[in-house]
Amino acid sequence: MDDAVGVVLAKLHELGVTELAMLTGDKRASANIIASEVGIDEVHAELFPEDKVAAVKAATGAGKTVTMMVGDGVNDAPVLAVADIGVAMTDGTSTAASESAQVVIMNDDIASVPRAIAIARRTKKVMLQAVLVGLGLAIIGMVAAAFNLIPVVVGAFMQEAIDVVSILWALTALLDRE
């Protein structure tokens, strides 16, 4: 388990996550042992849910930090709701956590967190490409129509073709490229 978590944390660092902190209600001695085994430097232990919320608000309040909280239970629900990105890890039984989070990982596997980040980044990239290509082609078509370089009917068909191309391009986000 510790090796698996270490691999997950290494993947998070590869994705550009610079700071990792553990916020836990566990005893400090246990939290420090686990954190040192997996490579987490910052540990906040023996926290109540409201303490976790305060810690995330303090990190987010700095303005430069985007916070992502990964939690798995009812005690994590408030902090999942406050974090910029709340990720609930559940097997389907923790509805409070999953209803409070923006992302729900249903296989209860921490290794899915870096994959979810990679998928989100790829989806954003493809979406922006589809929108920008669609807008660029539409502007070219409008300019051509404005100067009577193409008939109105051709312009209308071109716009439909542009819409189809944009939609098909956006659908490439569904392809698994890992």
Side-chain angles (χ1 to χ4, degrees), residues 22-28 43-56 69 75-76 79:
M22 177 190 293
L23 305 177
T24 182
D26 295 339
K27 297 289 183 192
R28 181 162 306 283
V43 179
H44 303 273
E46 300 178 16
L47 300 178
F48 291 108
E50 59 270 17
D51 300 326
K52 293 178 185 179
V53 168
V56 168
M69 173 67 182
N75 290 338
D76 292 324
V79 73

Side-chain angles (χ1 to χ4, degrees), residues 4-92:
V5 173
V7 169
V8 169
L9 298 181
K11 286 182 181 177
L12 288 171
H13 283 299
E14 288 173 17
L15 289 168
V17 176
T18 57
E19 297 178 35
L20 294 169
M22 177 190 293
L23 305 177
T24 182
D26 295 339
K27 297 289 183 192
R28 181 162 306 283
S30 300
N32 286 335
I33 290 169
I34 292 169
S36 67
E37 286 182 11
V38 299
I40 296 176
D41 297 323
E42 189 177 338
V43 179
H44 303 273
E46 300 178 16
L47 300 178
F48 291 108
E50 59 270 17
D51 300 326
K52 293 178 185 179
V53 168
V56 168
K57 282 185 176 179
T60 305
K64 62 180 179 179
T65 305
V66 174
T67 57
M68 181 172 84
M69 173 67 182
V70 180
D72 64 353
V74 172
N75 290 338
D76 292 324
V79 73
L80 291 173
V82 170
D84 293 318
I85 305 167
V87 180
M89 302 283 301
T90 181
D91 58 1

